[in-house]
Structure formats: C-alpha cells, structure tokens
Amino acid sequence: MDRSLALQQKIETRTARVGVIGLGYVGLPLAIEMANCGFTVFGIDLDLHKVESLRKGVSYIRDVPDSLVEQSLAGGNLIPTTDYRVLKELDAISICVPTPLSANQDPDTSYISQVVDQIKNYMENGPLITLESTTYPGTTEELIQWELEKLGYRAGHDFFLCFSPERVDPGNRKFHTKNTPKVIGGTTDKCLELGVLLYSQFIDSIVPVSSTKVAEMSKLLENTFRSVNIAFINEMALMCEKMGIDVWEVIKASATKPFGFMPFYPGPGIGGHCIPLDPMYLSWKAKGFRFYSKFIDLAQSINNNMPDYVVHKASTILNTYSRSIRNSRVLLLGMAYKPDIDDLRESPGLQVYEMFKEAGALVDYYDPHARSFVDKRGNVVRSIDMDPGKWREYDCMVLLTNHSAFDYRELASLGVAILDTRNAFDGIKAPHVYKLGAAVTPKQAKEPSMAI
Ligand code: SAJ
C-alpha cells in the first residue's frame, strides 16, 4: 500500500503512533493535546528529570496541570521516555527543541541537527516529520529534507516533511495549543495534506500555506513585528522623557483610536524565549542574501540598551536625594520577564541586577514567582521575603515586572523612592514615584519628598 495512504488511514483512525521530541513549554502541551484526542504519544526528552516527573504524573510546565498528565498516563496515551529507539515505531514525529542564539548572537540549530541524526536511524516507517521550533526560512529544507535525501530517502515518498510554528504564549489564560490557529507548510502537496490531517485531529483551526519557508517566515514576522514595535515605543519613551511628556498618557490617548493603531508599552528591555531571539534568526539568514535589515538590528540595539537606561535613571533619582549608586540599598521588584509567570529567560531584570552590582549598589530582588537565579559569577541569588516593613530601609526600589501580586499602594506608602518601568503605579500620585518615559518633575528635582 502507498505509504501516504497507510499513514492517512492511521491518522484518521487515530491508530498512528506519534512522537513529540522536546517536552518543554511547547512540546508538553502538544503531546497532551495529541494524547487527549486518542493518539498513543511517545514524549521524548533527553532530560531524565522531566521524563521521571511525567512518569509520576507531575507536570513541570505551569500551563499543564498534573491532572492532564495523570489522565494521559492512565489512558496509556502518553509514554515519556529518553530512548530515541522508540522512533522506529513511530508514524509521525513533531520536533519541539530549543533554537537559542550562540554567544555572538548567531542561530544555534544544533538541537535540531542532533534530532535529525537520531531520526536518520529509524526511517523504516517513512514518518511524517513536523518541525515546530522557531527558526530561519530554509531550515526545514536544509537541515532535514536535504539530510534525509542524502541517504536516498525522498520527501513525499519515503517520508513526509512539514514546518508548523509553535504559538505557545506562557501564562495566556485565553489561548492555548488547541484553540490557537496553527500555520503549516509542507515540502510537497502530499506532505502538507498529511500534516494538515494530523494537526486537525487536535487543533481547532489549521492554516495551510504553500511551503515550509512561508510557514517559517510567518513565525519570524509575528515576533519581529513585536520586537520592532517594542523598540519603537521604548524610543518614544526616551523622547517623551526629554520633552517632559508622559509617554504612558500619550499611549493611552492614542489607543482610543479604534483602527490603525496597536498599543505597545515601554519597559526595561525584552525577555523571554522568543522576542529577543527570533528576529536575530531572520537578520542572520537575510545577510546570506546580502540583505541587511536595519529595522531588526536597530530594534535589538534599542531594546538591549533599556537595562542601561533603567540603571542610569535610577542613579539620577538617587542623585536627587544626594546619594550615589555605590553603597545605596536598591530593591528590584519583579525579575521574571513578564507578569505573573516565573520564567527568567533573557529577562532584562537580570542585566539590571548585574549592572547595579557592578556599580557598587547593595542590590536585592523580590519576585513572588521567580524565586532564585544564578548570577554571572555563578552565585545563587534568592528573592528576599515579602516584608514591606523592612523595605523602608532601601534607598530606591525599581519596579521591573508588574506582577498582579504586588500591592502598589502599599509599596508607594513606604516612602522609598521608586522607579516604575511599567506604569504599575498609574493613578498613585506620589512625589517619590518616578516613571520610565516621564521626566523627573521640577518639584521632584528641587524638593524631593517621600510624602504620599
Ligand atoms: N514587552 C514590552 N512591551 C510590550 C510588550 C512586551 O516591553 O508592549 C516585553 C515583555 O515585558 C517581555 C518581552 O517584551 O519581556 C516579550 O513579551 P511578549 O509579550 O512578546 O511575551 P512572550 O515572549 O511570551 O511572547 C509570546 C510570543 N509567543 C510565541 O512566540 C508563540 C509572541 O509571539 C506573542 O505575541 C506573545 O507571547 C503575546 O502576544 O503574549
């Protein structure tokens, strides 16, 4: 029987044995959705701790409750393993491994290549392979199709190949794997047909496109769009500060326009697993075509300089109270890269922390979610406890992440100078609360006061 027909029937009857390689914030939710709709899913990860945790029914991803893991395990639909040999049993494989940047900001696709090296050993079943990791246009073709075709296998005949970008937004209570539209492109029409058939079994809306490159590029457009717009509003914040205008009030006014405008907000920089990295994949690949994207590199530069700006503004505020940064006691409020999650990846707060340390400040941090991190000297830095009574002893507090757990009125009442980088104290008028994107008022400069 024609491979594709056999695979089609297995997918339609949900007897296909599927694998998800990489069980992180993308792969685990995907494996759970596949298991929930009846597939037997082999969840493959090199990290034995992850596999053992899942085998005990314990999730390590906040958006995936233990109950869903237990349910999938109990039904025999989820089989966590570190053993790549299960690949020889599989009819379909989704690859959800990291695509970080190297030390000099170039794409690091080594995780993808390591997976492909494993898949090469288990091609008997002629699997449907779908790459989900965010990467530059051409990756699916260059690192998977060409590698397998070198061994004599032909895409669309001996195996099937698609690219389908992940759209997982950690902490998003409204959109998750099942209800977020899924773009997918195939190497051949048959590949696309099978990819659409598989993913439509457990995702509500599928968006087929004409090639894997279009699918790869669509993801990079989504995230580069964010990076450039965040950089633009950060620049506007610095401009407004110079001009004595409150950028937050300006954004609020502009956001009343019901069409043709989309608000973005200034901040201490950009963190996370996507926005700081994805645009650099695109910029790097474009250079290979002798195309130099000024927008991407400029946005990266502006966003990456925001931590410096925050520390500079904090030193200006301390100076208002005749204090230097050196030996000042500084408390950073929030360290996670965005509110109400514990994810510290690429968080700009980590750079702010290091800069205060280097400037000689006595710096602590408090974050109710992100409880510790390892600083660049290899020391474990732990969040201090929530004890506002003691926090009066600080010379300055810097609000970096506007967690909803913070009581902003209480924090303002402590009478400690505050630099608010998220407009979290909006509506709380206090002379000792300073904002990123709003100038230090003459009153604040002339008669600094801690009265509230
Ligand atoms: N940020 C700003 N100003 C803004 C928006 C974000 O400074 O106006 C900062 C955040 O504080 C954070 C960084 O940028 O440090 C990234 O924020 P994000 O809201 O883009 O959150 P992420 O990194 O979790 O982005 C994810 C992405 N999802 C995927 O890649 C699948 C992104 O495509 C989503 O658009 C985004 O979530 C979202 O919309 O929440």
Side-chain angles (χ1 to χ4, degrees):
M1 179 191 282
D2 171 274
R3 274 187 195 283
S4 64
L5 195 55
L7 185 50
Q8 179 185 325
Q9 287 175 351
K10 285 182 175 181
I11 293 172
E12 284 167 345
T13 55
R14 298 193 184 167
T15 55
R17 294 161 75 85
V18 299
V20 175
I21 302 179
L23 298 176
Y25 74 91
V26 175
L28 183 58
L30 180 69
I32 293 290
E33 288 299 348
M34 290 171 151
N36 281 350
C37 84
F39 286 108
T40 299
V41 185
F42 289 81
I44 304 164
D45 200 293
L46 290 177
D47 181 342
L48 185 58
H49 297 297
K50 284 193 172 81
V51 169
E52 285 175 342
S53 173
L54 294 175
R55 282 174 175 164
K56 287 187 286 207
V58 176
S59 169
Y60 43 81
I61 299 289
R62 290 190 115 169
D63 294 340
V64 178
D66 294 353
S67 56
L68 282 183
V69 178
E70 287 159 352
Q71 176 189 314
S72 303
L73 285 172
N77 294 100
L78 178 64
I79 301 151
T81 179
T82 58
D83 187 350
Y84 270 101
R85 285 176 299 181
V86 301
L87 289 175
K88 67 176 178 294
E89 316 272 334
L90 302 185
D91 302 301
I93 304 165
S94 291
I95 304 172
C96 305
V97 295
T99 44
L101 290 176
S102 67
N104 53 357
Q105 300 270 296
D106 288 342
D108 173 2
T109 52
S110 59
Y111 292 93
I112 297 175
S113 298
Q114 285 158 23
V115 167
V116 174
D117 287 344
Q118 292 289 343
I119 290 175
K120 284 173 181 174
N121 304 318
Y122 308 104
M123 288 291 289
E124 300 88 287
N125 273 6
L128 165 60
I129 302 165
T130 304
L131 177 61
E132 295 218 0
S133 309
T134 303
T135 184
Y136 55 79
T139 303
T140 306
E141 183 180 61
E142 296 162 19
L143 299 190
I144 306 180
Q145 180 186 347
W146 293 354
E147 284 304 307
L148 296 177
E149 290 186 339
K150 275 181 204 167
L151 304 176
Y153 301 109
R154 270 195 310 142
H157 294 274
D158 306 308
F159 68 100
F160 305 94
L161 183 57
C162 290
F163 180 83
S164 181
E166 58 94 356
R167 281 179 164 173
V168 176
D169 178 22
N172 191 318
R173 301 208 184 296
K174 184 178 174 192
F175 293 108
H176 41 80
T177 299
K178 183 168 176 18
N179 70 354
T180 302
K182 198 85 159 70
V183 171
I184 185 165
T187 301
T188 69
D189 291 347
K190 181 57 73 181
C191 299
L192 178 60
E193 196 182 305
L194 289 167
V196 169
L197 181 64
L198 173 63
Y199 276 78
S200 56
Q201 304 299 314
F202 53 90
I203 290 182
D204 298 345
S205 167
I206 303 296
V207 183
V209 292
S210 62
S211 70
T212 55
K213 285 183 180 173
V214 168
E216 290 161 336
M217 184 63 106
S218 72
K219 170 68 179 181
L220 293 181
L221 171 59
E222 287 164 19
N223 286 0
T224 304
F225 165 79
R226 286 183 77 72
S227 169
V228 168
N229 279 285
I230 293 165
F232 171 61
I233 202 65
N234 281 332
E235 183 177 80
M236 285 293 285
L238 305 189
M239 186 195 303
C240 283
E241 191 159 311
K242 285 280 183 204
M243 298 170 75
I245 300 168
D246 182 327
V247 74
W248 301 94
E249 187 182 2
V250 171
I251 296 165
K252 204 176 279 182
S254 299
T256 59
K257 181 178 179 189
F259 50 85
F261 181 79
M262 180 178 184
F264 284 84
Y265 301 95
I270 54 171
H273 45 276
C274 307
I275 310 306
L277 287 72
D278 300 349
M280 300 311 286
Y281 268 68
L282 182 55
S283 163
W284 176 84
K285 188 64 179 179
K287 289 187 179 102
F289 293 84
R290 300 286 178 275
F291 188 93
Y292 301 90
S293 164
K294 301 178 187 65
F295 270 110
I296 294 175
D297 293 344
L298 175 61
Q300 203 74 2
S301 162
I302 292 173
N303 288 331
N304 286 349
N305 282 317
M306 289 311 287
D308 304 71
Y309 163 77
V310 167
V311 175
H312 172 73
K313 179 144 186 166
S315 69
T316 306
I317 292 165
L318 285 166
N319 185 55
T320 309
Y321 299 96
S322 307
R323 290 201 58 86
S324 67
I325 278 196
R326 180 164 297 285
N327 296 323
S328 282
R329 295 201 60 203
V330 176
L331 177 60
L332 305 180
L333 295 170
M335 193 54 76
Y337 81 83
K338 70 179 188 179
D340 305 334
I341 63 172
D342 61 359
D343 198 332
L344 284 165
R345 278 175 293 186
E346 306 294 326
S347 176
L350 299 172
Q351 296 162 61
V352 171
Y353 174 86
E354 295 294 350
M355 286 178 201
F356 272 118
K357 286 289 272 189
E358 279 154 28
L362 307 171
V363 57
D364 294 317
Y365 91 97
Y366 172 71
D367 189 309
H369 304 286
R371 303 302 293 155
S372 69
F373 64 88
V374 176
D375 72 12
K376 68 180 198 182
R377 287 161 292 279
N379 306 315
V380 175
V381 181
R382 296 189 189 289
S383 166
I384 62 168
D385 293 329
M386 173 71 169
D387 186 350
K390 285 202 182 127
W391 293 2
R392 294 181 199 286
E393 296 157 19
Y394 285 97
D395 299 301
C396 180
M397 297 192 290
V398 182
L399 187 282
L400 294 167
T401 313
N402 44 330
H403 289 309
S404 44
F406 289 144
D407 179 337
Y408 295 101
R409 194 158 289 284
E410 179 187 32
L411 289 170
S413 70
L414 297 178
V416 174
I418 296 171
L419 171 53
D420 177 5
T421 71
R422 300 286 189 177
N423 199 35
F425 291 82
D426 188 23
I428 300 174
K429 290 277 171 274
H432 59 284
V433 176
Y434 303 79
K435 275 197 290 193
L436 178 152
V440 173
T441 64
K443 177 170 172 41
Q444 284 175 321
K446 206 165 52 267
E447 306 150 24
S449 150
M450 297 297 186
I452 179 168

